[in-house]
């Protein structure tokens, strides 16, 4: 007499729930969108060699400065904005150009692997540039309004403005639809 479980052939079929079906659709649409075949829109493309170096730098940086995974891109945006607005803005004689900041920001995010290479339309630079312009105006207005406050208060306000700008920019760059489904 053989093993009873071996002699019986049972067919089990997988019937996905509506939620699982929706997840599969989102993954499929995400993969289809990243392939980008057939689009005539100009895409933002960066060097792959520099991208690899920036990617590894970000991996090392994120392992040292541990944050929750869903905050990594927002924190990268915040770091880049601080560098361009606070540090380079203080050293620069000319006024800050929101489109230039936007171009550098998106390029650095692509290089670091936070955004896909050769898939974002170049119009994103203008869209993000408008967001940066709004927060640069807020920064300028707040500096003129709090002249008599301490340096610590001014610095705290500027940090807050940059943090809100980073969140706004991250939302406009779009979240990963697969991550939002889970």
């Amino acid at each position: 007499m053989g093993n009873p479980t071996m002699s019986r052939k049972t067919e089990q079929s997988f019937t996905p729930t509506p939620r699982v079906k929706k997840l599969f659709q989102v993954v499929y649409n995400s993969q289809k969108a990243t392939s980008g075949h057939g689009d005539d829109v100009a895409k933002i493309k960066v060097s792959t060699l520099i991208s690899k170096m920036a990617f590894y730098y970000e991996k090392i940086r994120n392992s040292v400065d541990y944050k929750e995974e869903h905050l990594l891109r927002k924190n990268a945006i915040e770091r880049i904005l601080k560098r361009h607005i606070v540090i380079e803005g203080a050293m620069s004689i000319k006024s800050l150009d929101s489109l230039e900041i936007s171009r550098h920001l998106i390029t650095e995010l692509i290089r670091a692997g936070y955004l896909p290479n050769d898939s974002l339309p170049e119009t994103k630079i203008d869209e993000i540039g408008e967001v940066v312009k709004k927060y640069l105006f807020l920064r300028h207005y707040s500096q003129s309004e709090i002249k008599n406050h301490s340096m610590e208060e001014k610095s705290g306000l500027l940090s807050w403005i940059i943090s809100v700008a980073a969140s706004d920019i991250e939302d406009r760059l779009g979240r990963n639809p697969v991550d939002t489904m889970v």
Side-chain angles (χ1 to χ4, degrees):
M1 184 180 247
N3 189 343
T5 58
M6 296 289 277
S7 62
R8 275 192 265 155
K9 287 191 174 187
T10 58
E11 289 188 30
Q12 293 181 350
S13 64
F14 174 70
T15 40
T17 64
R19 190 174 161 111
V20 172
K21 286 180 184 178
K22 186 157 175 91
L23 177 62
F24 285 145
Q25 287 174 343
V26 168
V27 170
Y28 174 75
N29 290 336
S30 172
Q31 289 175 346
K32 188 176 168 184
T34 57
S35 66
H37 298 298
D39 286 349
D40 292 338
V41 179
K43 307 286 187 200
I44 303 168
K45 186 173 184 172
V46 298
S47 165
T48 55
L49 176 64
I50 295 172
S51 294
K52 286 181 183 178
M53 293 185 326
F55 175 77
Y56 289 122
Y57 167 77
E58 283 294 318
K59 286 293 181 189
I60 293 168
R61 189 178 199 305
N62 289 334
S63 66
V64 171
D65 183 26
Y66 178 74
K67 303 281 185 195
E68 292 189 41
E69 192 169 332
H70 69 282
L71 296 175
L72 293 178
R73 186 168 73 172
K74 182 194 139 318
N75 290 335
I77 293 169
E78 196 170 332
R79 280 194 315 273
I80 295 166
L81 286 176
K82 279 182 183 175
R83 186 176 66 246
H84 283 286
I85 294 172
V86 178
I87 298 170
E88 292 177 11
M91 290 194 244
S92 177
I93 297 170
K94 61 180 184 171
S95 65
L96 295 169
D97 180 22
S98 60
L99 282 178
E100 188 177 324
I101 292 171
S102 172
R103 182 174 287 109
H104 286 291
L105 173 71
I106 292 174
T107 303
E108 287 186 47
L109 290 172
I110 292 171
R111 284 182 183 152
Y114 292 110
L115 294 173
N117 192 11
D118 202 20
S119 67
L120 281 179
E122 287 186 0
T123 55
K124 262 308 180 194
I125 294 172
D126 296 330
E127 181 184 339
I128 301 303
E130 287 299 314
V131 175
V132 171
K133 185 178 181 180
K134 175 174 62 173
Y135 288 101
L136 286 176
F137 175 77
L138 182 60
R139 171 187 173 248
H140 177 72
Y141 180 76
S142 67
Q143 284 179 339
S144 64
E145 290 296 316
I146 59 169
K147 289 180 184 175
N148 299 328
H149 293 275
S150 70
M151 257 334 245
E152 187 177 305
E153 289 174 323
K154 289 178 184 178
S155 175
L157 180 61
L158 180 58
S159 268
W160 179 80
I161 290 171
I162 289 175
S163 181
V164 173
S167 295
D168 193 356
I169 290 169
E170 184 188 22
D171 284 342
R172 290 172 193 266
L173 289 174
R175 299 188 186 277
N176 185 348
V178 176
D179 290 341
T180 56
M181 277 299 301
V182 177

